[in-house]
Amino acid sequence: MTVLKDDSSKAFLEIARPASFYRPAEERLHDWKEVEALPDPEILHEQTLRCMNCGIPYCHGYGCPLENAIPDFNREVRCGDWRSAWEILAQTSPFPEFTSRVCPALCEGSCSAGAEYGSVTIRQIEKTIIETAFANGWVTPDTPKRTGKRVAIVGSGPAGLAAAQALNRQGHEVTVFEKEKSPGGLLRYGIPEFKLEKRIVNRRVRLMEVSGIEFLCATRVGRDISPDYLLRKYDALLIATGTPTPRDLDIPGRSLPGIHFALELLGGQNRLLGHETDLLPVSAKGKRVVIIGGGDTGSDCLGTALRQGAISVEQIEIMPKPPVERSPSTPWPEWPYMLRTSSSHIEGGSRRWSILSKQFLGNKEDGRERVAGIEVYPVEWSFDERGKPLRFVPKSDNPEIIPCDLVLLALGFLKQNPKSIAEELGTTLQEGMFFCGDAASGPSLVVRAAADGLRAAERIGEFLRDRK
Ligand SMILES: Cc1cc2nc3c(=O)[nH]c(=O)nc-3n(C[C@H](O)[C@H](O)[C@H](O)COP(=O)(O)OP(=O)(O)OC[C@H]3O[C@@H](n4cnc5c(N)ncnc54)[C@H](O)[C@@H]3O)c2cc1C
């Protein structure tokens, strides 16, 4: 352990930010368990010493969408009072056990120490606080006084769950309708087990059930039950259906077998691990895999394909390679535009940037044509004066064919507007109907979806108070 000088206000100068808390890659590649181990509490204690307790804590007010009181819980951990740290965290964060595992940690992007010396490991501190709270039995079911008002929520992702928890705490009776077999949304059917074990989702859902929230799963609103019926039976209806439509890549050869959306691979693997199915709809085993899309979903596909036994995995991206350090286009305290290397990237595969996919090429085997390659071109980007990519020109005289047996499209999801969501559900916008999470904002993050769920619960609470 680092011996601190008496004046620990300089700890951020004397103690480094640890590189990561990952289990060894050669170990974790052979299982589906979370890649990150719980950090040693002593290291965490040192990290809380690095917190500068800023007069204006940007981590709290600027970085964190939930406005977690980060310097305050850091102080309590520093003093060894984990219970008090948890009480502070629980005031603002509905599910610290989710965000502390999957959040990119926007707070760390705006940590003052991070401007020069490496941010405090806030996400790890949050994880240890909530796991300590669960281990000690401090996280108990809510027992609210009932108001007699009823709210229906469609969708059980982080937005719907956060709203359900908050509305239940207000005393309203909450029923969550979910089309899948189990609650959780992308927490369960998108994010891989190796980032968020589903027992963590089950633990929270059980707590919510014991708190009085009803989950009606395998029930698709708009097909099995109409929103208009729900509006008659409940005092308010909250739509938290996420962004279900993946962005496609409409280039020649798209209809060839062997080209799939990322969620077909990821959802299938999670369903298999969750014993919902015996069969993977898409498997990377023994295949040369190309992932189109260089973001987080693509990186989740990489880690999944490696664990499934892919021969090779290449992730390609049309955008240019981001700078290794924070780009001047996103000065502190903004979320830094920079190269991100996930746990999956460390585990294997390769990635390339500035690559435009032109067409999919097929190959006939046993009379059936399947994808066998992608014709790609390098592109040349121009940048603005602060290094932000502006536009590209394809260098079409320099084509290349990447051989592959499986293509995964990880190109994001399409934003919908409330009117079209209502229409898809078979209704129109009307009084008493609210929207939140990705359904309202477009594809985002767990922490933003949860924060939006809390805001929706506040709006619904006011609406129900006004109605009497
Ligand atoms: C592969 C992948 C990995 C991701 N990884 C991360 C990450 O590591 N960190 C991070 O912060 N964010 C991540 N995200 C983004 C994050 O998961 C989403 O922003 C977040 O889950 C959105 O929450 P939500 O509640 O709005 O929607 P969702 O989580 O999409 O939940 C919507 C729910 O509504 C249900 N539903 C839809 N229509 C109906 C209907 N008609 N009737 C009943 N139920 C319905 C769906 O089945 C679903 O359960 C990832 C996204 C993907 C796709």
Side-chain angles (χ1 to χ4, degrees), residues 1-34:
M1 183 171 168
T2 313
V3 179
L4 290 174
K5 293 185 187 152
D6 290 339
D7 180 3
S8 64
S9 65
K10 295 203 190 91
F12 70 97
L13 297 171
E14 293 159 0
I15 303 170
R17 176 190 161 92
S20 83
F21 297 91
Y22 296 145
R23 293 187 290 127
E26 55 280 8
E27 173 193 310
R28 62 184 196 248
L29 264 173
H30 298 290
D31 63 46
W32 292 93
K33 294 196 194 114
E34 283 176 6

Side-chain angles (χ1 to χ4, degrees), residues 450-462:
D452 204 34
L454 296 185
R455 279 191 293 272
E458 257 176 53
R459 289 199 308 275
I460 293 172
E462 282 162 21

Side-chain angles (χ1 to χ4, degrees), residues 21-62:
F21 297 91
Y22 296 145
R23 293 187 290 127
E26 55 280 8
E27 173 193 310
R28 62 184 196 248
L29 264 173
H30 298 290
D31 63 46
W32 292 93
K33 294 196 194 114
E34 283 176 6
V35 294
E36 261 180 355
L38 257 191
D40 176 347
E42 216 163 272
I43 294 182
L44 274 188
H45 179 253
E46 283 186 350
Q47 285 298 306
T48 59
L49 288 167
R50 295 184 68 238
C51 175
M52 295 158 79
N53 195 17
C54 304
I56 300 174
Y58 279 82
C59 56
H60 146 82
Y62 184 91

Side-chain angles (χ1 to χ4, degrees), residues 101-104 154-161 177-180 182-187 189-192 195 219-223 240-244 262-263 266 296-297 300 413 425 436-439 442-447 449-450:
R101 285 171 165 84
V102 303
C103 193
V154 189
S156 64
L161 289 179
F177 294 85
E178 170 55 56
K179 69 177 166 59
E180 298 288 347
S182 300
L186 288 170
L187 295 169
Y189 295 105
I191 299 176
K195 275 165 66 181
T219 309
R220 183 191 283 264
V221 173
R223 185 192 67 187
T241 46
T243 47
L263 269 188
L266 299 172
D296 289 346
T297 301
D300 289 348
F413 295 81
L425 294 174
C436 73
D438 282 9
S444 186
L445 292 172
V446 168
V447 67

